């Protein structure tokens, strides 16, 4: 099944997308800013149309507002984002897209299929220190990013 594919097809990638999340029928793209941690969910992303039980009221309200103002268009059980939406961090963008609580940032994958590393975790430290075969592309300095989760 497509949701088990760790390496998303590069064919459909918007050029500004840094990461993709593929979960069941959800295919969401973000432009992740390593310095600020902010993540912009990109137009054309296919999101879950039905809010899950674990979604908090603020996120439900944001999704409902997006449906009302047309930035999110329902298509059957899914919804398509029509305008960019900025979030404080990739976790919030993933939660909005999946319409359920997403606890870790590894749901987001690069074009190579590598997970987005949490700041200050072994994966982030490894990404910052490993000698990669692909020396042309330095690893993301995600350890510099401070967690700025918005609690409402």
């Amino acid at each position: 099944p497509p949701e088990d594919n760790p390496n998303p097809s590069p064919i459909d990638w918007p050029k500004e997308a840094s990461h993709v999340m593929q979960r069941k029928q959800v295919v969401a793209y973000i432009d992740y800013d390593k310095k600020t941690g902010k993540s912009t969910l990109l137009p054309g992303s296919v999101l879950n149309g039905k809010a899950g039980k674990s979604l908090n009221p603020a996120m439900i309200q944001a999704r409902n507002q997006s449906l009302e103002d047309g930035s999110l268009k329902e298509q059957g059980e899914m919804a398509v984002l029509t305008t960019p939406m900025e979030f404080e961090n990739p976790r919030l963008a993933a939660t909005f897209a999946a319409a359920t609580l997403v606890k870790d940032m590894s749901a987001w994958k690069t074009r190579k299929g590598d997970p987005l590393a949490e700041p200050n975790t072994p994966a982030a430290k490894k990404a910052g220190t490993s000698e990669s075969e692909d020396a042309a592309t330095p690893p993301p300095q995600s350890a510099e990013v401070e967690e700025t989760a918005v609690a409402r």
Side-chain angles (χ1 to χ4, degrees):
E3 65 263 20
D4 294 335
N5 181 3
N7 298 311
S9 166
I11 297 164
D12 305 309
W13 282 69
K15 68 178 191 308
E16 63 274 22
S18 62
H19 294 80
V20 66
M21 176 180 68
Q22 293 181 302
R23 295 174 65 148
K24 298 182 181 167
Q25 296 173 50
V26 172
V27 181
Y29 297 96
I30 57 168
D31 179 12
Y32 174 63
D33 184 327
K34 288 183 279 211
K35 287 189 175 67
T36 65
K38 290 190 187 304
S39 300
T40 303
L41 206 49
L42 300 172
S45 292
V46 179
L47 314 183
N48 193 339
K50 187 171 184 247
K53 293 183 180 86
S54 65
L55 214 56
N56 70 35
M59 193 64 77
I60 291 170
Q61 184 178 354
R63 287 179 61 89
N64 289 341
Q65 179 62 45
S66 298
L67 287 165
E68 286 172 26
D69 69 22
S71 56
L72 200 54
K73 297 253 188 233
E74 287 184 284
Q75 289 189 354
E77 292 188 8
M78 305 308 288
V80 177
L81 193 66
T82 61
T83 58
M85 289 187 75
E86 188 177 85
F87 293 87
E88 287 297 313
N89 61 55
R91 214 173 292 117
L92 290 173
T95 295
F96 186 89
T100 190
L101 183 63
V102 176
K103 293 183 180 174
D104 69 303
M105 296 198 298
S106 67
W108 295 109
K109 306 283 190 240
T110 65
R111 290 174 192 263
K112 293 181 180 178
D114 297 326
L116 179 59
E118 287 272 12
N120 305 316
T121 63
K125 288 183 179 81
K126 182 180 173 206
T129 59
S130 67
E131 290 295 319
S132 174
E133 304 87 36
D134 186 10
T137 310
Q141 299 300 312
S142 56
E144 298 170 8
V145 178
E146 288 183 36
E147 189 60 59
T148 54
V150 177
R152 291 185 185 163

